[in-house]
Amino acid sequence: MVDLRKKPFLLEKDQIKWVEDTLASMTLEEKIGQLFIYMCYDRTEEKIEQACKKYHIGGLRWQGGTLAEVHTQNKSFQNHSRIPLLIASNCEAGGNGAVKEGTLVATPAACSADSDGQTAYEMARVAGAEARAIGCNWTFAPVSDVLFNWRNTIVNTRAFGNDPDKIIQCCKAYMKGMGEHGVACCTKHFPGDGPEERDQHLVMGCNDLSVEEWENSFGRIYRALFEEGLESVMVGHICLPAYSKALRSGLKDEQIMPATLSPELLQDLLRGKLGFNGLVLTDASHMAGLACAAPRSVQVPGAIAAGCDMFLFFNDPSEDFQYMLDGYKKGIITEERLQDALLRILGLKAKLKLYERPFPEVTELEKVGCQAHHEVAARAADATITLVKDTQKLLPVDPQKRPRVKLYFVESAPVSYLDGIDPAKQIVIEELERAGFQVTAHKDYYEMEVEKPDSVNRLRIIETEPVEEFKKNYDLVMMFVNMKGYAQENNVRIKWSASHSSELPWFVYEVPTIGISLNYTNHLIDLPMLKTWINAYAPTREYIRAAIEKIIGSSEFKGQYNDVVWCGRWDTRL
C-alpha cells in the first residue's frame, strides 16, 4: 500500500484528506482518465474541453504554440478539469523546454563540464521560473542516464556525463533549483540509457550491464535521488536483461520486455530493491520501443498492470481509453493496482497543493526569456565551454595577426528547404566580426539549393579553391559543427552536405584550423584530423560568443571533459 506520509510525498493530514475525499468522489471513468497524460496539438476550446470532460485526463504535455497561446491553453485545461492537472514541461536545458521563447541556459552535457555543479542549479532555477510562469508544475527532468557509450547520441547532450558522482551532484542541484518554484521533478529513463547506441524511439532499448555494473552506476544514482526526495520516475522502453533474469529465474530471451511492461523491473527492482514510493510514468507511448513490443490493446493496460502509474500520450483517445477500461474490467489491472496508481497521482497533486494553487497571471510571462535569465546563460557558457585539445598550440588567436577567417558551418540537412539554413550560422558570423575577424563564409549544398535549386549544385559543391590561393587569402579556418538528430536514426554522426563536398577538412595542413561543436561531444570520431577542438554545447548567442572570446584569449577555458570525447580512439587525441 502507498504511504503518502513518506517520501517523496510527505503529506500532512489536510493533504491526505483531499486525496481520500477526491478518490472517494471519482467515477470509474474519472479513475481511468487520471492514468493518462494527454499530448495537446490542437488547443481549441472544444478539444481542451473534450480531453478534460470526456477523457478526464490526469496530466498534460503539448507541442508548439507561442508564449501567450501556451499560457492560455494551460489555464483553459485547468479551468475545465474537475481534478487539477499535472502540467509537464521538458526542461532539460532551461526554459526552452517549456516554450520556444524560454531561455536555453545549459545542456546537461555543459553542466557536467562545470567543476562545482552550480550550472545545473542555475539552469533549473531559470527553467523552473519560466515553466511556472506558463502554468507548469512538473518537469520531465533531470536526466540521470550514464553516457557509457560514445556512440549514443540519444543522451549525449542530455546526460550529465559518465561519472555517477557527477550525475548525482548535478541531479540534486537541478532538483533544488526546480523545488524553489514548486515544480516537481521526474528523472528518466529508468532502467537507464547510455550503455548502448540504439534509440528507443526506433527500437526497444537494451541496457546490457550486468547486475553488479548496473548497481554500481544506475542503482547508486537512483538510490541517491530517491533519498533526496525525487517525486517521479519516467520509465524508458528499455530492457535490462541481466536484472530481469536475476529476478525471474528461467526467463527466456523472447520473454524480455521493455521496462514499461516488465513487472520484475518496476515492482521487484524499482519499488522493492530501490524502495521508490513516488509516481511512475511511461515514456511516450508512440515510441517504437513500446509500440512494437505488443499489441496496443496489451500495451495500454499492460503498462499500468506492470507497475506504471501513468501512461504518456494517447494514440487515439477513444480507443486507448477503452483499452484501459477493458483492461481493468478484465482484471489485467487489479483493483489494488488501480488504487495504488491513483493514490500516487493524487498524492503528487496534493504535495504540490494544486487544489489551492492559483494559475499564474499573464504578468508572469515577463520572466520568460528575460535579460536576467540570458545573463545566467552567459555565465553558464563561460563556466562550461571546454577546450578538448590544442596539439598544434594555436590558441589564443589574435584577430589582428590572423584577421582573415574562412568559416565552414557544418549543419544537419534542413527538414525543409523552406526553413532555410541554420540560424546559428549568422550568429557565428556576427560574433566573429564582433571579435575583429574578417569572415568569408563557405556556402554548402543546402544553401545553394535554398538560393536556387539546380541539379548541378552537387557538382559545384565539390569544387575547391586552388591551394596556394587559399593559403594567401586566409589566416585561419574555423569549422563550427551543429549536427542535430531526433527519432530518425540510431546514431548521429558528421554528415557533409554532399558527397566529396568542399567542406571536407582538406585544408587542415594548409591553414591553421579550429573545430567547434555547438551540440554533440563526440565529433572527434569523424574529425580526428582537427588539432584544435572545442566543445561549446549550444548554438545560442551566449555560447557562440563565449567560445569566440575564449579562442581569442579574452576569457579562459574553464570546462572539463571526460574520456567520452576521445571515442575510444588513439587518433582523436593527436
Side-chain angles (χ1 to χ4, degrees):
M1 293 295 294
V2 181
D3 190 342
L4 297 178
R5 295 167 298 179
K6 293 183 178 179
K7 289 181 182 179
F9 303 107
L10 301 174
L11 300 191
E12 302 291 341
K13 288 184 178 180
D14 62 322
Q15 294 167 298
I16 292 175
K17 186 177 187 304
W18 179 84
V19 170
E20 292 173 344
D21 289 348
T22 302
L23 185 57
S25 72
M26 293 167 67
T27 65
L28 175 58
E29 287 72 19
E30 286 177 319
K31 292 178 179 180
I32 295 300
Q34 284 293 297
L35 304 176
F36 287 100
I37 301 167
Y38 181 70
M39 170 57 82
C40 173
Y41 297 102
D42 184 344
R43 51 183 51 85
T44 60
E45 198 71 13
E46 178 185 3
K47 284 291 186 180
I48 291 173
E49 185 172 6
Q50 181 187 61
C52 298
K53 300 291 178 63
K54 183 176 181 180
Y55 299 116
H56 315 288
I57 57 172
L60 173 69
R61 273 282 288 125
W62 68 91
Q63 289 287 351
T66 65
L67 182 59
E69 287 172 339
V70 171
H71 180 272
T72 299
Q73 157 207 288
N74 290 349
K75 185 175 183 179
S76 183
F77 269 103
Q78 290 292 28
N79 287 341
H80 281 296
S81 296
R82 185 176 82 82
I83 300 169
L85 292 173
L86 292 167
I87 300 182
S89 56
N90 216 38
C91 292
E92 297 178 10
N96 65 311
V99 67
K100 63 182 180 180
E101 293 91 342
T103 310
L104 191 163
V105 177
T107 66
C111 293
S112 72
D114 184 1
S115 59
D116 61 8
Q118 182 68 13
T119 299
Y121 164 74
E122 292 292 344
M123 178 263 282
R125 183 178 64 80
V126 168
E130 296 187 350
R132 184 72 194 94
I134 58 172
C136 294
N137 47 51
W138 198 15
T139 177
F140 291 163
V143 176
S144 57
D145 294 320
V146 187
L147 187 62
F148 284 118
N149 190 337
W150 68 264
R151 292 181 176 87
N152 187 307
T153 43
I154 297 89
V155 298
N156 180 286
T157 61
R158 302 167 67 200
F160 293 112
N162 63 350
D163 177 6
D165 291 329
K166 185 71 174 184
I167 294 167
I168 291 169
Q169 178 192 44
C170 289
C171 285
K172 286 184 176 181
Y174 182 96
M175 290 164 60
K176 178 182 178 184
M178 278 290 171
E180 291 179 3
H181 299 285
V183 177
C185 289
C186 175
T187 201
K188 57 190 180 187
H189 308 82
F190 178 87
D193 206 338
E196 73 153 349
E197 63 191 82
R198 295 184 301 178
D199 182 351
Q200 56 169 317
H201 292 88
L202 308 175
V203 64
M204 181 177 72
C206 194
N207 185 324
D208 278 324
L209 296 182
S210 68
V211 170
E212 183 179 8
E213 289 170 331
W214 190 91
E215 282 287 357
N216 289 334
S217 53
F218 290 99
R220 188 150 62 87
I221 292 166
Y222 292 134
R223 286 185 171 89
L225 301 189
F226 299 164
E227 179 61 30
E228 193 72 8
L230 179 75
E231 293 93 347
S232 56
V233 169
M234 179 181 285
V235 180
H237 311 309
I238 301 169
C239 64
L240 186 61
Y243 231 130
S244 285
K245 291 181 178 181
L247 293 166
R248 294 284 193 274
S249 61
L251 193 68
K252 299 177 181 178
D253 287 348
E254 59 267 28
Q255 296 174 303
I256 295 292
M257 297 291 281
T260 29
L261 297 174
S262 299
E264 73 276 6
L265 297 181
L266 298 179
Q267 297 180 33
D268 299 357
L269 179 55
L270 182 58
R271 295 292 189 201
K273 288 181 176 294
L274 300 181
F276 183 60
N277 188 46
L279 179 67
V280 174
L281 63 146
T282 73
D283 203 341
S285 62
H286 58 261
M287 295 162 63
L290 177 64
C292 300
R296 185 76 180 181
S297 58
V298 174
Q299 300 164 29
V300 176
I304 305 301
C308 294
D309 302 310
M310 298 190 83
F311 193 85
L312 188 58
F313 306 153
F314 289 115
N315 176 34
D316 177 83
S318 178
E319 187 175 65
D320 282 352
F321 188 93
Q322 192 63 48
Y323 284 151
M324 193 74 80
L325 182 60
D326 288 346
Y328 169 75
K329 290 180 176 180
K330 293 176 182 177
I332 297 169
I333 302 172
T334 65
E335 181 66 27
E336 180 182 7
R337 179 78 276 280
L338 178 62
Q339 293 301 308
D340 279 0
L342 292 169
L343 284 173
R344 289 192 173 94
I345 296 166
L346 297 175
L348 183 54
K349 295 179 178 185
K351 177 177 181 173
L352 298 171
K353 295 193 173 181
L354 299 186
Y355 52 86
E356 62 182 27
R357 180 188 284 192
F359 196 85
E361 298 294 333
V362 174
T363 53
E364 291 291 299
L365 299 183
E366 296 174 0
K367 297 176 181 178
V368 180
C370 67
Q371 181 61 33
H373 289 175
H374 279 282
E375 290 171 1
V376 175
R379 292 196 296 272
D382 178 63
T384 62
I385 290 174
T386 306
L387 176 61
V388 177
K389 69 174 180 178
D390 183 27
T391 58
Q392 62 185 328
K393 302 191 184 306
L394 177 61
L395 301 179
V397 174
D398 186 342
Q400 293 185 339
K401 294 180 179 179
R402 296 185 184 273
R404 301 170 303 168
V405 172
K406 178 72 171 182
L407 170 66
Y408 291 85
F409 190 92
V410 182
E411 60 180 310
S412 301
V415 175
S416 166
Y417 285 125
L418 296 176
D419 295 335
I421 63 169
D422 191 331
K425 183 173 184 177
Q426 184 58 38
I427 298 175
V428 169
I429 294 171
E430 293 169 1
E431 292 300 323
L432 285 172
E433 291 176 343
R434 177 180 180 272
F437 292 106
Q438 302 163 20
V439 182
T440 301
H442 176 77
K443 187 181 297 183
D444 65 20
Y445 172 74
Y446 308 135
E447 289 176 272
M448 291 181 180
E449 286 289 287
V450 167
E451 290 181 5
K452 184 182 179 181
D454 191 333
S455 61
V456 182
N457 284 340
R458 286 194 177 275
L459 299 177
R460 292 193 180 110
I461 194 63
I462 296 174
E463 297 176 357
T464 61
E465 301 171 56
V467 172
E468 295 305 320
E469 185 178 324
F470 191 91
K471 290 161 66 175
K472 289 178 183 178
N473 289 341
Y474 306 114
D475 306 302
L476 184 69
V477 174
M478 289 196 191
M479 177 175 281
F480 281 79
V481 181
N482 188 28
M483 301 301 298
K484 295 169 285 187
Y486 178 75
Q488 289 180 291
E489 52 204 339
N490 279 307
N491 196 281
V492 181
R493 299 274 291 272
I494 294 289
K495 183 177 181 180
W496 308 107
S497 64
S499 60
H500 300 290
S501 170
S502 55
E503 63 202 317
L504 283 162
W506 57 269
F507 38 75
V508 292
Y509 285 106
E510 311 298 345
V511 176
T513 302
I514 302 172
I516 304 101
S517 172
L518 299 178
N519 193 5
Y520 293 120
T521 63
N522 63 344
H523 286 316
L524 280 175
I525 186 66
D526 295 315
L527 293 168
M529 68 291 287
L530 270 62
K531 306 302 180 185
T532 302
W533 187 263
I534 296 160
N535 279 335
Y537 303 111
T540 64
R541 191 172 296 276
E542 289 90 355
Y543 279 82
I544 292 167
R545 177 175 294 181
I548 293 169
E549 288 176 346
K550 294 177 189 299
I551 287 169
I552 65 176
S554 61
S555 173
E556 64 177 324
F557 287 96
K558 300 172 185 174
Q560 303 173 341
Y561 62 81
N562 56 55
D563 282 345
V564 173
V565 300
W566 305 122
C567 306
R569 296 282 308 180
W570 59 272
D571 54 340
T572 55
R573 300 172 182 265
L574 301 179

